[in-house]
Amino acid sequence: MKKHLFHFSKVIALAFILFSCTNSETEKPLGEFDSGILIMNEGAFGSNDGEVYHLNPATDELKPNIFESANGRPFAGLLQDLVLENDQLYLVANTGKIEIVNSGDFASIGAVTADLDQPRSLTVNSGKLFISDYGPYDADFNTPDSYIAVVQDVNGGGVTNKIPVSRKPEDLISFGKFILVAGSEEGIVEVIDAEEEEVIETIEVEGSPKVFFEANGGIYLFSTSLEEVTIYSFNLDDFTTASTDVFPISNATGKIAFGNDGIMYLIRSSGFPDYVDAVATLSLFNSTVNPTWYEGSGFYGIGADPLRGEIYLANANGFQGNGTVTVLDESGNEVRDFEVGRGPSGFLMR
């Protein structure tokens, strides 16, 4: 199963989904970073100082800069996403590269360092990497040449194909040999045949599609507009929408996380000039909405640890120095806070 940050977090498992193994399975020894919480620090524009921290929530031990510590060199990019696929972590930098590391110790496995412009996320399908990329800006700072980059080896290498898609593709999710792509600017979901490396279908949706997630064996899409959010499900046999649920949550971003009892936590931000932020909650079971579950400013990322009943809220502090993380309980009470890197923007619970 693929996991990534919301943003990050791509395919996620709700708390009521259970995982099991048989006694006949050989368990792989856990590495240092195969448990705990990975904190993605985006870094500051111009400094390219994105990095990953690791938190052991049982002891509160925080290890900074684990990519640099493992590989003897800085990450040297702006971290956009952190994707877990089959014991490999893909560190996606929107400054034009992908670093691939072992999930247990963060040792480098490979990279994609050429022929990318502004990568946003990726998925693995048919033994290949498919990377969403805004493409280059034109003279008016538009992105008319967005694409999905294809790399033939899951351990990295060169880009062999660029599949044209709608402007500003964000999240991707795989099912079978197909890939769904969230086209955030044009309100389009594109379906790619991973074997043929081409778009075979498009699905029009309302708002700005941001994030896919899995629940109850289905694929869902989180889409935002100024006054509401919409959650779609899909008929995957004929690439049509199966359900459309609209919720009155304004100023929602693409930053979401899932806690216990089917509760979605999502960041709202009024943006310039007020920068009044809030965390809203949405119950996927009964559609109950609380638009101001927690209020403040500067919210930049969110994660949830269902096992401990804790919500992690990242604050970029205006990119004036390091960011902070505030840990909340399920009632919205502050439990503790701590300093992290520049621009903390997502969490991966292991």
Side-chain angles (χ1 to χ4, degrees):
M1 170 173 282
K2 171 184 181 180
K3 293 183 181 179
H4 85 137
L5 295 171
F6 286 99
H7 166 150
F8 168 111
S9 316
K10 200 166 262 196
V11 179
I12 61 105
L14 298 183
F16 54 83
I17 298 178
L18 302 179
F19 296 88
S20 63
C21 61
T22 67
N23 293 332
S24 62
E25 290 178 335
T26 301
E27 293 187 4
K28 176 185 173 182
L30 290 178
E32 181 179 6
F33 305 125
D34 280 325
S35 60
I37 300 172
L38 297 176
I39 303 169
M40 184 177 75
N41 302 285
E42 181 178 300
F45 181 77
S47 298
N48 289 358
D49 53 352
E51 250 294 358
V52 180
Y53 283 28
H54 177 264
L55 174 69
N56 182 337
T59 64
D60 285 340
E61 180 184 11
L62 183 68
K63 289 193 173 183
N65 305 331
I66 60 176
F67 178 90
E68 182 172 7
S69 296
N71 299 292
R73 59 183 174 88
F75 176 71
L78 295 179
L79 263 173
Q80 178 65 35
D81 201 2
L82 184 59
V83 180
L84 175 63
E85 286 269 16
N86 301 322
D87 297 324
Q88 295 191 173
L89 277 164
Y90 295 84
L91 283 67
V92 181
N94 63 19
T95 38
K97 70 171 183 174
I98 313 289
E99 294 277 4
I100 306 165
V101 301
N102 181 282
S103 66
D105 60 11
F106 258 65
S108 177
I109 293 173
V112 183
T113 58
D115 296 322
L116 295 174
D117 292 284
Q118 302 180 76
R120 306 294 292 179
S121 191
L122 64 77
T123 189
V124 173
N125 195 305
S126 304
K128 298 178 279 190
L129 301 180
F130 291 81
I131 305 162
S132 58
D133 197 306
Y134 279 6
Y137 285 120
D138 64 14
D140 298 316
F141 294 98
N142 297 313
T143 57
D145 299 315
S146 298
Y147 57 87
I148 304 300
V150 183
V151 176
Q152 297 297 318
D153 190 336
V154 297
N155 294 324
V159 173
T160 58
N161 190 16
K162 293 183 177 180
I163 306 169
V165 292
S166 61
R167 294 187 301 272
K168 291 185 172 56
E170 292 286 353
D171 203 12
L172 313 89
I173 192 169
S174 291
F175 68 99
K177 70 168 187 171
F178 302 106
I179 299 167
L180 295 180
V181 181
S184 68
E185 188 166 284
E186 297 183 58
I188 293 174
V189 173
E190 282 142 314
V191 183
I192 290 176
D193 183 316
E195 294 177 355
E196 300 298 326
E197 298 181 11
E198 63 182 11
V199 175
I200 62 168
E201 189 64 75
T202 60
I203 308 168
E204 293 186 3
V205 296
E206 295 295 325
S208 177
K210 294 292 199 310
V211 181
F212 294 106
F213 62 93
E214 287 183 342
N216 294 334
I219 290 178
Y220 294 79
L221 172 69
F222 178 83
S223 183
T224 67
S225 61
L226 185 61
E227 298 295 334
E228 58 195 23
V229 302
T230 306
I231 296 178
Y232 292 94
S233 68
F234 299 94
N235 296 309
L236 299 179
D237 54 347
D238 61 0
F239 308 120
T240 58
T241 55
S243 64
T244 303
D245 295 294
V246 181
F247 304 95
I249 303 174
S250 62
N251 300 317
T253 70
K255 309 288 182 74
I256 64 177
F258 291 84
N260 289 310
D261 302 320
I263 300 297
M264 174 191 287
Y265 298 86
L266 55 152
I267 292 178
R268 301 171 56 228
S269 180
S270 64
F272 182 83
D274 299 321
Y275 292 109
V276 176
D277 296 344
V279 175
T281 58
L282 167 61
S283 171
L284 298 180
F285 292 147
N286 58 26
S287 301
T288 301
V289 172
N290 181 349
T292 54
W293 177 80
Y294 184 83
E295 297 179 280
S297 62
F299 300 162
Y300 203 59
I302 194 164
D305 183 352
L307 292 178
R308 296 176 178 82
E310 293 180 330
I311 292 83
Y312 286 71
L313 184 61
N315 196 311
N317 294 330
F319 287 87
Q320 302 301 307
N322 287 341
T324 54
V325 170
T326 299
V327 183
L328 308 168
D329 65 20
E330 292 176 327
S331 297
N333 300 309
E334 297 181 11
V335 177
R336 60 189 182 280
D337 55 48
F338 53 92
E339 183 176 295
V340 289
R342 297 282 290 275
S345 57
F347 303 86
L348 182 59
M349 308 296 173
R350 302 299 312 277

